Amino acid sequence: MNRRAAAALCAAAAWAATWPAQAQEWPTKPVRILTPFPAGAGPEAVLRVLAEKLQKKWGQPVVVENKPGANGFIAIDAFKRGATDGTDLIQLDNVHLVAYPHLFKKLPYDPVKDFEPVTPLFRTYFFVGVGSTSQYKNVGDIVADAKAHPGTLNYGSWSVGNPVHLGSALLESMTNTEMQHVIYKETSMLYTGVANGELNFALGSLATAGPLQRSGKLKFIAVTAPKRHPAFPDVPTVAESGGPAGYEVTGWTTIAAPKGLPKAVADKIQKDIEAALAEPDIKDRYATFGYETFPVTRDQFHAFIGAESTKYADVIKRAKVALD
């Protein structure tokens, strides 16, 4: 048994040693990137631009396959049944890794065992949006009103557990207030609800709330970032607007590979994606959606995911929300 074990270890070591060389030739067949986003959505649109660049770099077709619906579970199921050599990748939203594990009583995937997050594609911060005629001039006004009228103020989003919902719940948690969460079927209806006064406020990105802000029907009173947005230098951070210090809400997506993918291949995928994201035309495309690149090492990214998971676990527990 000792000789057999030693032989097995030698064989495994020899196999592993070949991977750096094989990684230089990877991929040797077409690559599929699954996405839970529908065609035309901002995250999906920038993924297609990236796929075109990777196709040129890798010399193989890189196909983006849309599988929207069911909270992204359809795309994830297809990914789990796909190739394990890195030629099947998936675009994941941040909620799949940091929110859903605490929100759903049972998940059809394991965020730790099923995925190897390779590199983030982008992140976007949100703006606190109110109607153009709203009484709220800053976040401090919202907090003060919420404290004076517990459970009366409302904010909106398009589902339970998305970044806009949880980001608003985080504001409740950090200010020790209680507000009502109102769900709209579509983002267009959500921000129209803010504009016409049905909702007191909502968090929104440039891609979703920007059109109504540009038309003058919404106004941004704060940004959920650690510093002001370069395109909106007059819009303060939440802390500058009378809200809690340290309040930060981002939306982000990542490319993930199957767990256990050889490091050399994962490193190549990460390096090639980061090189593509640094090209000027992608940066220009990102700017139209209010996205920004998020260059970090894989260890830093994994630490960031862990911190985000802890943060939203606390928010979800306080909000007492759960889904089957």
Side-chain angles (χ1 to χ4, degrees):
M1 290 298 295
N2 288 339
R3 287 196 297 271
R4 289 179 181 177
L9 287 172
C10 289
W15 176 81
T18 66
W19 268 108
Q22 293 180 19
Q24 299 302 316
E25 304 298 326
W26 183 96
T28 57
K29 61 181 181 180
V31 176
R32 178 176 67 156
I33 306 179
L34 294 153
T35 177
F37 296 99
E44 189 265 1
V46 297
L47 177 63
R48 288 191 177 275
V49 177
L50 173 64
E52 292 175 4
K53 294 187 176 296
L54 293 177
Q55 182 166 294
K56 294 177 182 178
K57 175 71 174 178
W58 291 341
Q60 291 285 348
V62 178
V63 179
V64 173
E65 189 170 316
N66 302 84
K67 288 191 175 295
N71 299 298
F73 299 164
I74 296 173
I76 290 172
D77 179 66
F79 170 77
K80 288 175 62 178
R81 291 185 287 104
T84 59
D85 61 356
T87 53
D88 269 350
L89 303 171
I90 188 168
Q91 180 185 33
L92 294 174
D93 192 39
N94 58 329
V95 295
H96 295 123
L97 296 175
V98 304
Y100 285 176
H102 309 293
L103 185 65
F104 282 87
K105 296 177 181 178
K106 185 177 181 180
L107 276 178
Y109 64 89
D110 187 310
V112 175
K113 296 180 180 179
D114 291 334
F115 306 117
E116 177 64 37
V118 176
T119 188
L121 292 186
F122 69 80
R123 67 178 171 187
T124 184
Y125 291 98
F126 298 97
F127 291 89
V128 181
V130 300
S132 57
T133 60
S134 172
Q135 62 177 318
Y136 304 126
K137 307 301 180 185
N138 53 52
V139 176
D141 289 344
I142 294 176
V143 173
D145 200 9
K147 287 182 177 294
H149 305 92
T152 301
L153 270 70
N154 58 25
Y155 60 83
S157 80
W158 54 88
S159 66
V160 173
N162 64 74
V164 165
H165 169 215
L166 296 180
S168 303
L170 178 62
L171 181 63
E172 290 182 84
S173 177
M174 294 181 71
T175 58
N176 196 29
T177 56
E178 293 184 7
M179 309 180 206
Q180 296 181 22
H181 175 216
V182 182
I183 299 175
Y184 285 73
K185 292 183 178 180
E186 300 176 358
T187 55
S188 59
M189 297 170 60
L190 164 65
Y191 297 109
T192 298
V194 178
N196 64 26
E198 292 175 9
L199 289 173
N200 293 111
F201 75 94
L203 304 186
S205 67
L206 290 181
T208 55
L212 285 178
Q213 185 272 338
R214 289 190 291 271
S215 70
K217 296 179 181 179
L218 281 183
K219 61 181 178 181
F220 294 155
I221 60 173
V223 62
T224 67
K227 59 183 180 180
R228 298 190 181 200
H229 195 287
F232 294 84
D234 295 332
V235 176
T237 65
V238 168
E240 292 173 334
S241 185
Y247 177 81
E248 184 176 332
V249 182
T250 62
W252 47 271
T253 70
T254 181
I255 287 290
K259 195 72 172 183
L261 186 69
K263 184 176 183 300
V265 177
D267 287 346
K268 176 179 174 60
I269 295 172
Q270 179 181 5
K271 179 181 177 181
D272 291 344
I273 289 176
E274 289 176 347
L277 295 181
E279 295 187 22
D281 58 331
I282 282 196
K283 288 183 177 293
D284 291 342
R285 183 65 167 163
Y286 270 29
T288 63
F289 293 103
Y291 298 162
E292 65 180 35
T293 55
F294 184 18
V296 289
T297 67
R298 201 168 318 141
D299 286 345
Q300 290 172 333
F301 187 38
H302 288 185
F304 170 77
I305 291 172
E308 288 276 281
S309 179
T310 299
K311 177 173 73 175
Y312 285 114
D314 292 341
V315 171
I316 290 168
K317 182 177 180 180
R318 181 188 184 277
K320 298 179 181 179
V321 292
L323 296 174
D324 294 328

